[in-house]
Amino acid sequence: MMKLSLSGISQEYVTDKGETVNAVGETDLEIPEGEFVCVVGPSGCGKSTLLNVIAGFLEPTSGSVRMDGKVITGPDKQRGVVFQQPTLFPWLTVSKNVEFGLRINGTSASERERIVTDVLDLVGLADFHDSKPYELSGGMQQRAQIARVLANDPSVILMDEPFGALDAITREKLQNDLLDLSREKRKTIFFITHSVDEAIVLGDRVIVMSARPGQIIRDVPIKISETYGRPLKGAELRDTPEFDVLRDEIASSIGLSATDV
Ligand SMILES: Nc1ncnc2c1ncn2[C@@H]1O[C@H](COP(=O)(O)OP(=O)(O)OP(=O)(O)O)[C@@H](O)[C@H]1O
Ligand SMILES: [Mg+2]
């Protein structure tokens, strides 16, 4: 059984002026458990819309999404969402932000403490339990956001350009850490990015969407690590000839020249 299964999904919006916007065209997608799927496509092609449908924030105009075979009817803590801009509560410490969902679920104080320590260690924020979000850099805030999602131990993580606002060095560090984490924890990840490079570095598979109404026009398996017989990451992965081939192929399918990505 597939972890996530989208069948016949489409999404129309009606604007304030009463115009219909066809955001996502008929879309089918199957994602097995533990797969890291990256999604690229032109701006406005419906990537975030698709993520919101999978999250359960938005009811699709047609079709349905199933998780573990069950139709998704609303948000669920089994699906954690990380957005581009950190959405931490500014008045709470990092720990309190991270344990927020656990408190709502009635998790005991000792269990919360164990989980918070665990996930903050995992994202490299062990020394920042008592810091306020404004005391953290952008990259650290994104780590805290990821920790908050991990605290709920979701089986699916949906990420909407989570590293888009970060500088190149921080971004690469977070990419490497996310790769380690996904390989270790076998989470199913749906990751939207504007960067073709980032998609290839992270994904087991890259989905390319067309301009609006967005539809899947390419579904590219990324097998560079398999070719080399070990998990590659970072510069090592980028330096392979296979990487360049995939980059050109994916960039040209969204109408970009390789220098734009
Ligand atoms: N609530 C809304 N009401 C009306 N139109 C909307 C709404 N949300 C999104 N749209 C439109 O739907 C289309 C798809 O938007 P969406 O945010 O999913 O695109 P995207 O691929 O995530 O773009 P970007 O890469 O810029 O983030 C766009 O044309 C957008 O203007
Ligand atoms: Mg978007």
Side-chain angles (χ1 to χ4, degrees):
M1 190 198 297
M2 286 292 150
K3 189 71 200 175
L4 289 170
S5 183
L6 283 64
S7 57
I9 292 292
S10 73
Q11 186 68 48
E12 286 174 1
Y13 293 107
V14 179
T15 65
D16 293 344
K17 291 184 203 142
E19 292 157 355
T20 302
V21 178
N22 209 342
V24 176
E26 184 140 327
T27 296
D28 298 312
L29 178 64
E30 305 264 277
I31 303 179
E33 175 156 31
E35 193 167 61
F36 198 136
V37 179
C38 288
V39 183
V40 294
S43 182
C45 75
K47 302 181 294 296
S48 298
T49 300
L50 204 55
L51 181 141
N52 284 321
V53 168
I54 299 173
F57 298 145
L58 202 59
E59 192 188 334
T61 309
S62 75
S64 62
V65 184
R66 288 166 196 272
M67 175 166 158
D68 300 322
K70 282 197 228 76
V71 175
I72 291 172
T73 54
D76 186 301
K77 69 183 176 70
Q78 273 306 306
R79 290 184 303 282
V81 183
V82 180
F83 297 100
Q84 177 168 9
Q85 298 299 336
T87 53
L88 301 167
F89 299 119
W91 61 90
L92 294 179
T93 62
V94 168
S95 299
K96 291 268 188 290
N97 264 290
V98 169
E99 67 166 19
F100 191 82
L102 300 173
R103 257 177 199 276
I104 291 177
N105 295 331
T107 308
S108 72
S110 58
E111 180 68 359
R112 288 202 308 266
E113 196 180 325
R114 188 189 65 73
I115 294 171
V116 168
T117 304
D118 205 33
V119 296
L120 285 178
D121 272 0
L122 205 63
V123 301
L125 287 180
D127 296 334
F128 297 90
H129 282 242
D130 299 324
S131 303
K132 290 281 183 58
Y134 67 83
E135 296 173 296
L136 305 180
S137 67
M140 289 157 80
Q141 291 185 36
Q142 253 348 22
R143 288 174 187 277
Q145 212 191 178
I146 293 169
R148 187 171 58 181
V149 163
L150 291 175
N152 294 323
D153 198 23
S155 56
V156 171
I157 305 180
L158 309 169
M159 306 179 93
D160 197 348
E161 302 192 40
F163 307 150
L166 305 176
D167 65 272
I169 294 169
T170 309
R171 187 171 186 158
E172 181 160 347
K173 177 95 182 65
L174 260 69
Q175 287 171 352
N176 286 339
D177 290 353
L178 181 64
L179 261 185
D180 288 343
L181 201 142
S182 74
R183 284 169 179 164
E184 189 183 322
K185 302 260 171 191
R186 277 198 56 82
K187 304 282 187 195
T188 305
I189 302 183
F190 183 89
F191 185 106
I192 297 174
T193 176
H194 265 113
S195 159
V196 173
D197 276 23
E198 183 168 70
I200 302 170
V201 163
L202 293 176
D204 297 316
R205 175 180 177 193
V206 178
I207 303 278
V208 181
M209 285 176 73
S210 66
R212 206 183 76 199
Q215 280 186 300
I216 296 172
I217 49 170
R218 297 292 311 278
D219 189 339
V220 185
I222 309 294
K223 297 188 179 295
I224 303 177
S225 291
E226 281 174 38
T227 306
Y228 287 81
R230 64 198 165 85
L232 297 187
K233 63 182 183 184
E236 206 185 5
L237 188 85
R238 285 178 221 269
D239 286 345
T240 62
E242 289 84 356
F243 182 89
D244 289 336
V245 171
L246 286 165
R247 188 175 189 259
D248 291 350
E249 183 187 330
I250 294 169
S252 64
S253 69
I254 36 179
L256 296 171
S257 72
T259 49
D260 292 334
V261 297

